[in-house]
Amino acid sequence: MSAETQMRQFELKLKKAIERVKLVLEAEKKPQLPVDVHHSYEDKFTLLERGSCLAVASLANSLEQLGLGGEKLAQLQTWAAANAVSLRFKSKETCQFLREVTRDEESPTKRVNEVQVGGVAFGSFTSKTVTKVTEFFWKFDMAYELEAIRGVGADDSDRLLICSRSGHVELKTSTKSSPHPETKVSTCEEVNISFLLKQLLGSPATPAFKIDRLSPKCRTPRRNPEVQEAVNFGRSYLTWICKVSKYFERLHRLHPQRSTTPTGSSDLFVPALPLFIKGSAKAGSSASGGQSLVLLGEDAEVAKHVVTAADGNRLLGEESRALGEQRANLMEVFPDDGSIYTWMESFRALILQHSQQVVVQWSEMIEYVEHMLRMQLVAAIGKEVRPAEFASYMRFHYRKLFREAYQPTPCSFAIRRSTKHGPEGTISIEEEALGLQDESSIKSPICAITAAGRTPSTMTFPLNASTTISFGGQVHLHAWLDHQFSGQSSSKLSLVSRARQFSSFMVLIGRVSSSTTFDPKYAALVQNKDELEIPLELSTIPTPKEFKDAIESLSPEQQEFAKAFRAMQLESTLFAVLVVQIKPQLEKLLNLADDSLTKEIKLTQDLMQLFIKYQIPSDLLSFTSDLLPNGHGSAGERLQVVKGQVKAMHDMIEVEKREELEQRRKEEEYRRLEEEKKRRQEEEAREVQLRLQDIEMLQRQSECMDDIMLRGDEMASTEKFYRKAKKSGGFFGGMGRALSGAVQSLGGSSSKESCRDRDYAPNYEAKMLCVQTAAPRSSRRRLSAVAPSSSKDAVALPLRSQAPDLEFEATAAEAPEPQASQPSEPSQAEAKPKSAQQPPSQPEAVEEALEARDYTQVPKQLDEQFEKLDPDSSLRPTIINPGSTWSKRSQAALLAAAQTSSLASDEQKREKDAAFDLLDAITKSGALPLSHAELHIIVAATHCFDKTVTETVVQDNVNPIAKVERSSLIMASTVHQQPAECLMNESSHARVIADSPQLFLEDATKAEPVADLRAASFPNAIVKYERVLMKFHEVSMHTNGRQRQLAQGAMPEMQDW
């Protein structure tokens, strides 16, 4: 169940209790919910104090009903002054066998049988079923006692009996197995009630719960040591009540006659109510007389709206009356017959249940007061503030806090050669607000504290094992402060690079490993409307205080290891982005004048294509003095020479392309002819197979005819048969002519033509077939020997049309081997650029002060400042790492639609290799330094809050704006190397000094260097102010009147400044 739902249910419970309170109090008194009454913040403290006093009194009266009252309570109060006092409940149970009883048990069902003879009834008899039952009886004894102990209760004098009782009952079972253990001694249940006794003062005891509002640990009416101690006591007391109540419930279930009897109503009146009462108060107490109740003392001052002591005592009297009524009812239902469960056990169980309700309502009352604070804060703002909305406010707050020269600026930069040139594109670190659905959720550049300067010397980075590239240019140091509430960040970051059409630049991402070394881990070329988005992942490391506390108990070797590893982590917080412009470097590489390629769009595109796609050496394109007659031409002449060389290179590439295309065409034609030849051969083979099948069929027919004619009866003799066959040309001659005609009918040639074509036969079997068809008078055995026996032995017959194929085979055999052409690379993607605004320029003195700065010392300086100036230990150094999957939006052509693709590790590796190849070309493998490069160093920190924004304000009574404001001033002071008071607007001085005075306490050992830095960086007015301030402090050290007058005379000068 959520806290919001619990509070709604508690309000319903309060509304129900208000009706009961109206019956108890006087008619002119009107109890109301606190949310319905206008009250002050102090009234919430008083409301919680009065409600807690009523809860303490109610619990004390409940213990009095159990036997702890009068002298016993006074003795426990004396013990609690010096020792811990606890309640201990212990019990013992025994179960013994009594007897075994066997009895006959008749069945409740009777069976009647009638006797009839001839349909006439003569009589009837009745029968019953009798069961023999054996029962076992047990004696169950119990004994319990509730006592108060001092300390651990080692001596008899440290124990005080509050109540005790013993009883027994006879149990019956159907088996001879004990229903309970023979002897059982339960674990002693204890609860410390020292807190409750300390709230009762004097004799008679009076509750005096009070919140120390002046304690530094007191934050809100709910969050203070006294209330927290009450909450802790309530939790432990509630646990003890539940355990003891379960024991009495068990006794109730074990009693054979009383297990189904109700134990009384548990819905009793609870006086601990957070109510405001309107109406005039009348003097006098209204508690019932004759009862020794713990009542509220007389009010020294009658607080407005809060329940008065007299009204509170009336509520306590009503509670006592209701308990007395329940006690009388239980005495009638459960008589005292010495069994294990009588009216005493029932009433004590009821008291415990009522005490449980008091503790629960006390806890709900405490949470209800804090819930009111939360609801009032949300109502004042209009909604519950989320981390992203808090970050949006801080950007608004920075505009009022910092001076104009030190304002946090959007981390977005135009990539341009100078202010006179148009930008090639933009690079920015953008954030996406989490949990917002309005215009604030649109990605926008982060606001970072930025200091611009020059590199102290030429910086380098390794391109490969043998190449090192140097660069110089402007350096931007950005400090970004993130906020986390309850582990939830306000935004997601991404590094976005956008290039304009016909523009290009290079982005390298890595770390600054030393004062002169940049270590790139990733690289990409952005050109022609490309938009490259790289997600950035944030991870925090422990604060300086957390780190020192963690290694405090380690050995020296372990501490040394931890410190070395932390040093590496701090250096890893220097996230760096190097931006390299391509056009100026191309002009330098080709020996052209400055701005020669600014308007040469096609030439620039051709050069990029030659370097990236074809990887042409720069020496083949650059201008040299031997290319002109006079040696050194004008800028235009040099440009024309380079254009000519680029054109010649393109012409050569075109010739190579045409030759490659012609070679590919020949290879394709050769492949086509080969496939055609193979297809014809397959068709001819199928045709010959069909012919051979026909020939085999004719052979079988001729054999059948020979057999028939040889066996004919009409032939008188063999001699007569041969004579007739000789006259007709012979049997085999006629058969041969028939075979020849069959071949011709199937598309073949005649016998003579077949013999002429036998020279084209591809194999021996086909030539033999030609001879067979040409000589029809050959024997049948010879014919069958020459013909193939199956289709798989068939060979294609030669045709005259095959002669050209044979000639082509000879020609193709002389053709050269095909050569693999170099595949063309895809065109570069394009993305839409986005303009960015340059940050406001820093003062010249500040820029000069930053020239000799070692940026690798910035994380260490920030760490030292965090430890010194952040007493909450909430600022954590943050490491920025590129995400694993990038996004790239590009256009394949000018009229093509933009497409978005994802770049995983393999694609990122290809992007890096392509960028490094281009760097190698335009720097001549490191021989030429990069002249137009900008280095952006980003250092981040995260201010971590343990709770949400609302809980931080409501529960901790902390203004997160002031905390984050202090953190931003710490970072700004380190980045700009200026004291905090020089960075702020004068209107914020007083407020910041009150919230964070430690920012303005200068270390005596560092006073002189700071003064020198200010003198070098700021106007003479600040130096004058410091001299006057030092003079004032020097004069104030003395006590004579003249020197005091000098000190007072110095003050107007300070005020005028």
Side-chain angles (χ1 to χ4, degrees):
M1 185 183 299
S2 64
E4 187 72 21
T5 304
Q6 289 179 351
M7 291 300 102
R8 288 200 187 101
Q9 293 182 356
F10 182 68
E11 285 187 353
L12 295 176
K13 188 190 300 186
L14 286 180
K15 291 179 180 179
K16 183 179 178 181
I18 286 176
E19 301 300 324
R20 185 75 173 271
V21 172
K22 289 180 179 179
L23 300 177
V24 177
L25 300 183
E26 300 170 355
E28 63 272 10
K29 300 294 183 66
K30 296 180 180 180
Q32 291 182 330
L33 294 177
V35 294
D36 299 333
V37 179
H38 292 285
H39 58 276
S40 63
Y41 184 67
E42 181 66 22
D43 290 338
K44 290 183 173 64
F45 283 94
T46 309
L47 176 68
L48 202 52
E49 290 175 342
R50 181 49 53 90
S52 299
C53 287
L54 288 172
V56 169
S58 177
L59 293 177
N61 292 330
S62 298
L63 290 176
E64 192 271 338
Q65 297 286 351
L66 294 176
L68 182 60
E71 296 179 358
K72 293 182 179 180
L73 181 60
Q75 184 176 354
L76 295 186
Q77 289 180 261
T78 305
W79 285 0
N83 301 98
V85 180
S86 304
L87 293 179
R88 175 190 291 172
F89 181 84
K90 56 184 180 179
S91 62
K92 181 179 180 181
E93 299 174 358
T94 60
C95 186
Q96 299 176 355
F97 179 73
L98 291 178
R99 63 187 180 278
E100 178 179 346
V101 178
T102 303
R103 60 183 177 84
D104 294 335
E105 182 176 347
E106 295 182 354
S107 174
T109 304
K110 296 180 180 181
R111 180 178 298 177
V112 179
N113 296 325
E114 292 183 354
V115 179
Q116 294 181 354
V117 177
V120 179
F122 280 91
S124 64
F125 62 92
T126 304
S127 63
K128 289 184 177 181
T129 303
V130 179
T131 305
K132 187 176 183 180
V133 178
T134 302
E135 296 176 335
F136 304 91
F137 292 88
W138 309 81
K139 181 182 179 183
F140 181 80
D141 293 286
M142 69 85 189
Y144 65 86
E145 63 179 20
L146 176 65
E147 61 181 359
I149 61 174
R150 177 171 56 182
V152 295
D155 301 329
D156 294 339
S157 59
D158 294 334
R159 294 191 292 269
L160 177 64
L161 182 63
I162 297 175
C163 64
S164 64
R165 189 179 173 277
S166 62
H168 67 276
V169 69
E170 192 174 87
L171 303 179
K172 180 175 61 175
T173 62
S174 59
T175 60
K176 197 175 181 180
S177 59
S178 178
H180 301 283
E182 183 177 355
T183 302
K184 177 183 177 182
V185 179
S186 63
T187 306
C188 297
E189 304 295 344
E190 296 183 6
V191 60
N192 191 328
I193 61 170
S194 300
F195 169 79
L196 182 65
L197 297 174
K198 290 179 180 179
Q199 307 308 316
L200 300 174
L201 303 180
S203 181
T206 303
F209 181 85
K210 197 73 175 176
I211 299 175
D212 185 6
R213 296 162 175 75
L214 300 179
S215 172
K217 295 182 180 180
C218 179
R219 298 178 177 178
T220 65
R222 164 64 180 87
R223 306 292 167 171
N224 54 78
E226 291 79 16
V227 172
Q228 188 60 43
E229 191 176 0
V231 171
N232 295 337
F233 165 75
R235 291 172 182 170
S236 60
Y237 196 64
L238 194 62
T239 303
W240 180 80
I241 289 175
C242 292
K243 293 179 179 180
V244 178
S245 297
K246 287 181 180 179
Y247 175 78
F248 287 111
E249 292 175 2
R250 180 171 175 270
L251 294 180
H252 184 223
R253 291 193 304 268
L254 289 178
H255 200 287
Q257 288 83 26
R258 300 172 183 174
S259 58
T260 59
T261 306
T263 58
S265 175
S266 59
D267 188 14
L268 298 176
F269 178 72
V270 178
L273 297 170
L275 298 176
F276 283 156
I277 296 180
K278 287 188 175 182
S280 59
K282 291 185 178 181
S285 174
S286 61
S288 301
Q291 295 181 353
S292 59
L293 297 178
V294 175
L295 301 176
L296 301 181
E298 295 297 330
D299 295 323
E301 296 181 2
V302 179
K304 187 179 180 181
H305 304 312
V306 181
V307 177
T308 62
D311 293 338
N313 292 334
R314 290 190 181 94
L315 299 180
L316 292 172
E318 171 62 19
E319 177 191 35
S320 178
R321 185 199 64 78
L323 288 174
E325 182 179 342
Q326 288 292 324
R327 177 176 182 174
N329 294 336
L330 293 175
M331 291 177 68
E332 295 180 1
V333 176
F334 299 98
D336 188 5
D337 54 1
S339 64
I340 62 173
Y341 196 82
T342 64
W343 71 269
M344 286 182 284
E345 282 71 35
S346 179
F347 183 67
R348 287 166 182 168
L350 180 64
I351 291 296
L352 291 174
Q353 293 177 6
H354 178 66
S355 299
Q356 181 179 359
Q357 293 178 355
V358 172
V359 173
V360 170
Q361 189 158 312
W362 189 9
S363 301
E364 291 176 342
M365 176 182 60
I366 293 173
E367 300 299 332
Y368 178 71
V369 173
E370 185 171 86
H371 175 72
M372 281 196 303
L373 288 172
R374 180 182 289 104
M375 291 298 100
Q376 290 173 353
L377 180 64
V378 172
I381 299 176
K383 60 181 178 180
E384 188 166 350
V385 180
R386 288 172 288 189
E389 294 166 339
F390 179 80
S392 178
Y393 170 79
M394 290 308 302
R395 287 192 291 269
F396 164 79
H397 183 74
Y398 290 151
R399 293 195 292 269
K400 297 182 178 181
L401 176 65
F402 290 98
R403 293 183 179 179
E404 184 177 358
Y406 302 103
Q407 287 277 347
T409 56
C411 195
S412 178
F413 295 87
I415 302 170
R416 66 174 77 201
R417 189 180 305 189
S418 66
T419 55
K420 297 180 180 179
H421 295 78
E424 299 284 313
T426 60
I427 185 169
S428 60
I429 297 181
E430 299 182 353
E431 62 178 345
E432 178 184 1
L434 299 177
L436 297 182
Q437 301 297 331
D438 53 8
E439 68 279 358
S440 301
S441 61
I442 301 176
K443 290 185 177 181
S444 59
I446 63 173
C447 285
I449 302 167
T450 303
R454 291 283 177 178
T455 52
S457 60
T458 301
M459 297 188 70
T460 62
F461 64 89
L463 195 63
N464 50 51
S466 59
T467 304
T468 300
I469 295 179
S470 59
F471 68 93
Q474 197 170 23
V475 177
H476 300 271
L477 176 62
H478 311 278
W480 180 66
L481 179 62
D482 189 22
H483 329 104
Q484 277 190 5
F485 290 89
S486 186
Q488 181 183 0
S489 181
S490 60
S491 60
K492 293 193 302 184
L493 300 187
S494 58
L495 177 65
V496 182
S497 305
R498 299 181 178 92
R500 295 192 175 185
Q501 186 64 52
F502 306 122
S503 301
S504 60
F505 59 89
M506 203 174 304
V507 177
L508 287 81
I509 304 171
R511 310 281 179 189
V512 177
S513 55
S514 69
S515 59
T516 59
T517 305
F518 169 66
D519 185 16
K521 301 296 183 182
Y522 305 91
L525 178 65
V526 186
Q527 60 177 347
N528 296 333
K529 298 180 70 175
D530 284 350
E531 181 176 336
L532 179 63
E533 182 175 352
I534 303 174
L536 302 179
E537 299 176 352
L538 306 178
S539 59
T540 60
I541 61 177
T543 64
K545 184 178 183 302
E546 291 174 344
F547 175 75
K548 287 191 174 181
D549 293 343
I551 68 172
E552 185 177 4
S553 59
L554 298 180
S555 66
E557 292 77 12
Q558 294 168 344
Q559 290 184 2
E560 185 178 356
F561 171 78
K563 290 178 181 179
F565 204 84
R566 182 174 177 83
M568 182 203 67
Q569 289 178 322
L570 289 176
E571 289 188 4
S572 299
T573 59
L574 282 179
F575 179 76
V577 179
L578 179 64
V579 181
V580 179
Q581 299 185 41
I582 305 298
K583 285 183 182 179
Q585 191 66 22
L586 287 177
E587 294 170 354
K588 185 176 181 180
L589 174 69
L590 301 175
N591 295 324
L592 296 177
D594 293 342
D595 291 342
S596 297
L597 298 178
T598 301
K599 299 181 180 180
E600 297 292 336
I601 297 177
K602 187 178 185 307
L603 178 60
T604 304
Q605 294 292 316
D606 292 342
L607 289 170
M608 293 289 292
Q609 186 182 37
L610 292 175
F611 285 129
I612 297 175
K613 185 175 181 180
Y614 300 107
Q615 296 187 358
I616 302 299
S618 60
D619 293 340
L620 300 179
L621 304 174
S622 60
F623 170 79
T624 55
S625 59
D626 58 341
L627 298 178
L628 289 177
N630 56 357
H632 298 283
S634 63
E637 292 175 344
R638 293 184 181 183
L639 184 62
Q640 292 301 323
V641 170
V642 172
K643 285 184 177 180
Q645 296 185 126
V646 170
K647 183 178 182 305
M649 187 59 64
H650 272 291
D651 293 342
M652 184 194 72
I653 292 174
E654 288 297 324
V655 171
E656 290 292 332
K657 285 182 178 180
R658 286 195 293 270
E659 292 178 355
E660 184 177 346
L661 290 175
E662 182 64 23
Q663 182 66 25
R664 293 289 296 274
R665 188 189 64 78
K666 290 181 180 180
E667 292 174 0
E668 185 65 22
E669 182 67 18
Y670 175 77
R671 183 190 61 79
R672 187 187 63 78
L673 292 176
E674 283 291 324
E675 291 179 355
E676 183 68 22
K677 176 183 175 182
K678 183 178 180 181
R679 184 184 61 80
R680 286 200 305 267
Q681 288 177 353
E682 291 176 354
E683 291 178 355
E684 292 169 357
R686 288 193 298 269
E687 184 179 355
V688 170
Q689 183 178 358
L690 293 175
R691 292 177 185 175
L692 291 178
Q693 291 176 356
D694 293 341
I695 292 173
E696 290 178 0
M697 184 181 65
L698 292 175
Q699 285 178 352
R700 287 194 297 271
Q701 292 177 357
S702 64
E703 289 177 358
C704 293
M705 292 179 66
D706 287 347
D707 293 339
I708 293 172
M709 295 180 67
L710 287 174
R711 299 173 184 177
D713 296 335
E714 66 270 15
M715 294 298 178
S717 61
T718 306
E719 183 178 358
K720 185 178 180 179
F721 171 75
Y722 279 109
R723 279 200 305 269
K724 290 183 179 181
K726 186 176 181 182
K727 290 180 180 181
S728 61
F731 173 77
F732 290 103
M735 193 66 196
R737 287 193 295 274
L739 291 174
S740 177
V743 172
Q744 293 179 8
S745 66
L746 292 174
S749 59
S750 63
S751 61
K752 293 182 180 182
E753 291 175 349
S754 299
C755 292
R756 284 197 303 268
D757 293 341
R758 66 183 180 270
D759 294 336
Y760 294 103
N763 49 41
Y764 175 76
E765 290 79 0
K767 291 182 180 180
M768 292 301 297
L769 185 60
C770 294
V771 174
Q772 174 185 333
T773 56
R777 299 181 184 273
S778 59
S779 64
R780 183 185 61 207
R781 181 174 300 180
R782 184 177 178 183
L783 179 62
S784 62
V786 173
S789 61
S790 62
S791 61
K792 67 180 181 179
D793 299 328
V795 182
L797 292 175
L799 299 176
R800 294 181 182 275
S801 60
Q802 286 181 312
D805 294 341
L806 297 176
E807 294 176 0
F808 175 76
E809 290 178 2
T811 305
E814 297 174 0
E817 293 291 331
Q819 298 179 358
S821 61
Q822 184 176 2
S824 60
E825 298 182 2
S827 61
Q828 296 292 331
E830 303 173 358
K832 185 178 179 180
K834 181 178 178 182
S835 61
Q837 183 180 0
Q838 292 281 24
S841 58
Q842 304 291 333
E844 295 182 359
V846 176
E847 184 174 344
E848 293 175 359
L850 292 172
E851 286 185 359
R853 188 168 189 180
D854 183 4
Y855 292 99
T856 57
Q857 299 299 317
V858 173
K860 184 178 179 181
Q861 296 170 0
L862 282 173
D863 203 50
E864 293 174 353
Q865 292 293 94
F866 293 166
E867 182 182 7
K868 177 182 177 182
L869 302 177
D870 181 26
D872 300 331
S873 187
S874 301
L875 271 174
R876 297 176 181 271
T878 303
I879 300 175
I880 304 177
N881 290 310
S884 57
T885 303
W886 302 357
S887 175
K888 186 175 184 180
R889 187 170 181 268
S890 58
Q891 282 183 261
L894 285 175
L895 300 180
Q899 295 182 352
T900 302
S901 58
S902 298
L903 304 182
S905 57
D906 294 339
E907 291 80 2
Q908 294 171 17
K909 179 66 166 54
R910 285 195 289 269
E911 291 282 345
K912 179 181 178 181
D913 293 342
F916 275 23
D917 290 342
L918 180 59
L919 278 174
D920 187 71
I922 63 178
T923 60
K924 290 187 176 181
S925 297
L928 288 178
L930 295 174
S931 56
H932 286 74
E934 286 186 359
L935 182 64
H936 296 269
I937 303 174
I938 301 96
V939 59
T942 304
H943 194 117
C944 300
F945 294 91
D946 297 332
K947 302 175 182 178
T948 64
V949 180
T950 305
E951 289 176 348
T952 300
V953 179
V954 173
Q955 296 183 4
D956 296 341
N957 198 28
V958 169
N959 183 6
I961 298 174
K963 301 295 182 181
V964 175
E965 179 184 70
R966 180 186 63 203
S967 300
S968 63
L969 286 172
I970 294 174
M971 296 188 70
S973 177
T974 306
V975 169
H976 292 298
Q977 296 180 306
Q978 306 297 326
E981 62 267 22
C982 298
L983 306 176
M984 297 183 304
N985 288 320
E986 294 183 4
S987 58
S988 303
H989 276 194
R991 176 179 51 79
V992 177
I993 290 175
D995 293 338
S996 306
Q998 66 272 19
L999 295 178
F1000 304 91
L1001 300 177
E1002 296 181 358
D1003 189 357
T1005 59
K1006 298 182 180 180
E1008 193 66 23
V1010 171
D1012 294 340
L1013 180 59
R1014 293 180 188 174
S1017 305
F1018 284 88
N1020 294 331
I1022 298 179
V1023 181
K1024 182 179 179 181
Y1025 165 77
E1026 290 186 346
R1027 290 174 180 173
V1028 172
L1029 183 63
M1030 294 173 62
K1031 179 180 178 182
F1032 174 77
H1033 284 295
E1034 180 182 357
V1035 172
S1036 300
M1037 296 295 293
H1038 303 281
T1039 57
N1040 58 69
R1042 175 58 182 166
Q1043 291 169 337
R1044 289 181 181 175
Q1045 293 177 2
L1046 292 175
Q1048 295 173 358
M1051 289 301 295
E1053 188 175 3
M1054 294 170 57
Q1055 295 173 357
D1056 292 340
W1057 177 85

